[in-house]
Amino acid sequence: MPALKHWLYMKEVLIVAEWTALKNIDPHCFACGQGNAHGLHMRFFSDGERVRSRLIIPGHLRGWHTLVHGGVLATILDEAMSWAAIHLTGRFILTQEMTVRFKKPVRIEEEVRVESCVAERISPRKALLKAEIRNSSGDICAESSGVFALFTAEAFTRMNLVPENMLDAMNQSMWRSA
Ligand SMILES: CCCCCCCCCCCCCC(=O)SCCNC(=O)CCNC(=O)[C@H](O)C(C)(C)COP(=O)(O)OP(=O)(O)OC[C@H]1O[C@@H](n2cnc3c(N)ncnc32)[C@H](O)[C@@H]1OP(=O)(O)O
C-alpha cells in the first residue's frame, strides 16, 4: 500500500477506534430512546475521556419560529452529562442540579454536536460534569455544568426508581460498548 494511502487508512482506523459507540439501554427515553417516536434519538460515543453525540433537532421541538426551544437544549446537555457521568465514573446517576448558558440561537433541522466530560470528582457520591453544544459552524451555542449524584448498583436499587430486573439488565450491559 502506498505510504499516503496507508497513512489515511491508519488514521481512519485510529479515529474509529478512538470513539466507541456506547450501548443504548432504554428504547423509550425521550433523549436517547431509539423507539420513542417523539424523542431526540441521541446516540453516544466515548473516547474514554469525553462523550459525544451528533443530532438534528426535529422541527416539532421549536420555540420561536425556526429556533430550538431552550428546554430542549437543556435536555440535550443533561443527557450528554448523564451519559458521561455513567460511562466515565461507572456509576448509576441522578442529575442533582444544572445550570445552562444559552450563547447563540440553534435552528431546528440543523446538525448540532454535543460533547461532555467529568470536570471534577467532588466526592465518591458526587461529580461535576460539563457539556457544550456546537452548531455546524463549530460555534458554542449552549453550555452547561451540573452536579450529579453517583450511585452504586446496590444504592440505586435501594432508591426504588427502576424495576430491579431492568436494573440488573442495565448493570450487565451499561458499561460495555454497543
Ligand atoms: C448506557 C448508559 C445509559 C443508560 C441509559 C440511561 C440514560 C441516562 C438517563 C439520563 C437521565 C437524565 C438524568 C435525569 O434526568 S435524573 C432525573 C432528575 N433528577 C432527579 O430526579 C433527582 C432528584 N433528587 C434526588 O433524588 C436527591 O436530591 C439526590 C439523591 C440527587 C441527592 O440527594 P441529597 O444529596 O440531597 O441526599 P440526601 O441527603 O437527601 O440523601 C437522602 C438519602 O438518599 C440516599 N442517597 C442520596 N445520594 C446518594 C448516593 N449518591 N449514593 C447512595 N445513596 C444516596 C441516601 O439514602 C441518603 O441518605 P444517607 O444514607 O446519605 O443518610
Side-chain angles (χ1 to χ4, degrees), residues 38-63:
H38 309 290
L40 292 165
H41 301 151
M42 294 175 76
R43 288 182 192 278
F44 286 91
F45 297 81
S46 177
D47 69 352
E49 290 182 1
R50 295 162 292 171
V51 162
R52 79 178 184 195
S53 177
R54 280 175 195 272
L55 70 153
I56 293 173
I57 303 166
H60 70 271
L61 299 177
R62 72 186 223 179

Side-chain angles (χ1 to χ4, degrees), residues 70-81:
V72 173
L73 296 174
T75 299
I76 291 169
L77 291 162
D78 186 18
E79 188 74 8
M81 292 193 294

Side-chain angles (χ1 to χ4, degrees), residues 14-123:
L14 283 174
I15 287 168
V16 170
E18 201 187 331
W19 289 92
T20 309
L22 301 180
K23 199 170 171 105
N24 207 301
I25 306 294
D26 184 348
H28 307 295
C29 174
F30 172 71
C32 68
Q34 303 301 309
N36 185 329
H38 309 290
L40 292 165
H41 301 151
M42 294 175 76
R43 288 182 192 278
F44 286 91
F45 297 81
S46 177
D47 69 352
E49 290 182 1
R50 295 162 292 171
V51 162
R52 79 178 184 195
S53 177
R54 280 175 195 272
L55 70 153
I56 293 173
I57 303 166
H60 70 271
L61 299 177
R62 72 186 223 179
W64 283 113
H65 192 51
T66 57
L67 300 187
V68 175
H69 203 290
V72 173
L73 296 174
T75 299
I76 291 169
L77 291 162
D78 186 18
E79 188 74 8
M81 292 193 294
S82 295
W83 277 68
I86 290 169
H87 281 281
L88 302 176
T89 72
R91 291 283 185 260
F92 289 93
I93 57 96
L94 285 174
T95 314
Q96 188 161 9
E97 61 180 69
M98 66 180 279
T99 56
V100 180
R101 180 147 185 251
F102 300 102
K103 300 179 76 165
K104 280 189 167 198
V106 177
R107 298 201 178 271
I108 52 168
E109 311 291 1
E110 180 187 353
E111 188 184 73
V112 294
R113 199 180 74 199
V114 59
E115 200 165 292
S116 54
C117 65
V118 178
E120 187 189 342
R121 185 73 182 251
I122 301 168
S123 74

